[in-house]
Amino acid sequence: MKKRIEFPLFEMTVIGILVFVLLIFALPKYMDVGREARIKTLNAVALNIDSVNRLMYSRATIKNLQHIPLQHSDVLAGDEVSINLVYGEIVA
């Protein structure tokens, strides 16, 4: 006959408390990771759009287009890419 492994009540209580404490502190951190990743991705996209807008404004300034109210322009000097500028800044 195999000898059964028995845990005393004290050891089971300590293990239960440790698991409970681990869940209290670790679980909220892992549940919020997706939200933080989405926020950081949106912030990175916003920074990229801002840097492209600054680049287009500087190119429009070089070509002296920053004073024109609405312009469909090839500021990038490419046939396949064209943007709409309002006073040198990108608009949708």
Side-chain angles (χ1 to χ4, degrees):
M1 184 188 295
K2 291 184 178 180
K3 184 177 179 184
R4 288 180 22 178
I5 298 174
E6 297 179 7
F7 290 103
L9 182 61
F10 178 74
E11 289 178 2
M12 291 300 285
T13 305
V14 169
I15 291 171
I17 290 172
L18 287 175
V19 168
F20 182 71
V21 168
L22 189 70
L23 284 174
I24 286 175
F25 291 109
L27 194 59
K29 277 285 194 193
Y30 290 113
M31 289 176 64
D32 206 28
V33 169
R35 181 176 179 268
E36 289 178 9
R38 287 189 296 272
I39 289 172
K40 289 185 181 197
T41 301
L42 289 175
N43 286 337
V45 168
L47 287 174
N48 285 335
I49 290 172
D50 185 51
S51 64
V52 167
N53 197 22
R54 289 174 190 250
L55 177 68
M56 291 300 108
Y57 184 77
S58 63
R59 287 183 180 230
T61 303
I62 290 170
K63 292 186 175 191
N64 203 17
L65 299 174
Q66 76 273 18
H67 301 296
I68 300 173
L70 180 60
Q71 170 108 11
H72 183 74
S73 174
D74 58 345
V75 176
L76 293 174
D79 295 332
E80 69 278 353
V81 179
S82 64
I83 57 172
N84 293 323
L85 299 175
V86 173
Y87 294 110
E89 295 190 2
I90 299 173
V91 294

